[in-house]
Amino acid sequence: MNNSRKRVLSGIQPTHDSFHLGNHLGAVKNWVAMQDENDSFYCVVDLHSLTVETDPKVLRNRSMVSVAQLLALGLDPAKCTLFLQSQVPAHNQLAWIMECMTGFGEAGRMTQFKDKSSKNGADRTVVGLFTYPMLMAADILLYQADFVPVGEDQRQHIELTRDLGQRFNSKYGQTFQIPAPYIMKAGAKINDLQEPTSKMSKSSPSQTGVINILDTPEVNAKKIKSAVTDTGREVIFDEVSKPGVSNLLTIHSTISGQSIPELEEYFSGKGYGDLKSSVAEVVVDFLNPVRVRVNELLAEPAYLHSVLKLGAEKAEVVANQTLKQTYEALGLVPRD
Ligand code: TYM
């Protein structure tokens, strides 16, 4: 292995029947771009998804659909290691160590935990939601990751991971690489088409502003054409006064590769309707082959399982090595 290659790790939850466009533009697109030059590990974090109660059959299906989507979006098992988190037990094992390193108050300050627990109330919030960021820290630190490609909403979790890694290293000796978030400016926060100041989210109560990768072209085109736009008529990127238009321009630009100034120039003298039609076309053209490929892959479960088996075997070698060093550093007595 070439040692100058950087280590990359990221994860995605299989909580829904489809990923949405924000997942792709904020994260998966960068995973694909990074697999060529880096030693990259990508996991479907099925254990994290247990914080939301799900029917076992549905969870099993969503995990496989998630893997199929990642492959269809461009991950190549010959270039990266793709695996299911639950198939590498070291994740849970290091998570416990991370829980023992995290302050109660520190965990309580995680904004995603605060938002979700305040929405549902203490009695309907599981403890796993509280310890979720420590499992995520374990995911990252186990692989000695240099970079973690994610969307903006994961920044705080990566900050905590860095703090925990540094805390461990200073108490018990150098054990973990301290990871850096890899968050691209464009695409890091794709917003809901109906509420363009809030992020596009799998758990939004209304799905009318969420573009699902696996929805039909008709559904997606209709959602884009019904997107909320702003006052005025000019197609100009300005996130404060034109959040709707800016979100559409970002979506267009990150998929088509045309820069925002190029798009502004192209749409000058044209209206919001033209922008929406063009975004719908770009999105639908991009998603069509992805959807077809997902269906082909789902028809080959043996292939998907073989990718995951190989991925888990490769991941486990790295993860177990880190776990062994961590146990040793802590003074846990080895069996042999
Ligand atoms: P998850 O499953 O919610 O989302 C997966 C990735 O998609 C990004 N994302 C977005 N990016 C731009 N705009 C949006 N509207 C948008 N919505 C979601 C997320 O930032 C994420 O990168 N906690 C993580 C999963 C995780 C993980 C990890 C990530 C578990 N362990 C280790 C990195 C490393 C999560 O819930 O992502």
Side-chain angles (χ1 to χ4, degrees), residues 9-15 19-28 31 43 45 48 85 112 116 132 135-137 139-140 148-155 157-158 187-192 198-202:
L9 176 121
S10 199
I12 189 162
Q13 295 198 70
T15 37
F19 295 153
H20 60 67
L21 202 55
N23 294 134
H24 174 64
L25 298 178
V28 179
W31 301 10
C43 58
V45 290
H48 276 111
Q85 183 190 35
Q112 291 212 340
K116 290 187 185 170
Y132 179 113
L135 177 57
M136 178 162 164
D139 298 340
I140 299 168
V148 187
V150 284
E152 185 59 45
D153 62 350
Q154 298 301 315
R155 190 184 287 279
H157 287 155
I158 297 173
K189 185 174 175 240
I190 298 296
N191 287 332
D192 186 288
S198 312
K199 72 167 181 179
M200 189 177 282
S201 165
K202 287 183 266 202

Side-chain angles (χ1 to χ4, degrees), residues 13 15 45-54 59 126:
Q13 295 198 70
T15 37
V45 290
D46 49 359
L47 295 172
H48 276 111
S49 78
L50 298 179
T51 52
V52 178
E53 193 180 335
T54 310
L59 175 61
V126 296

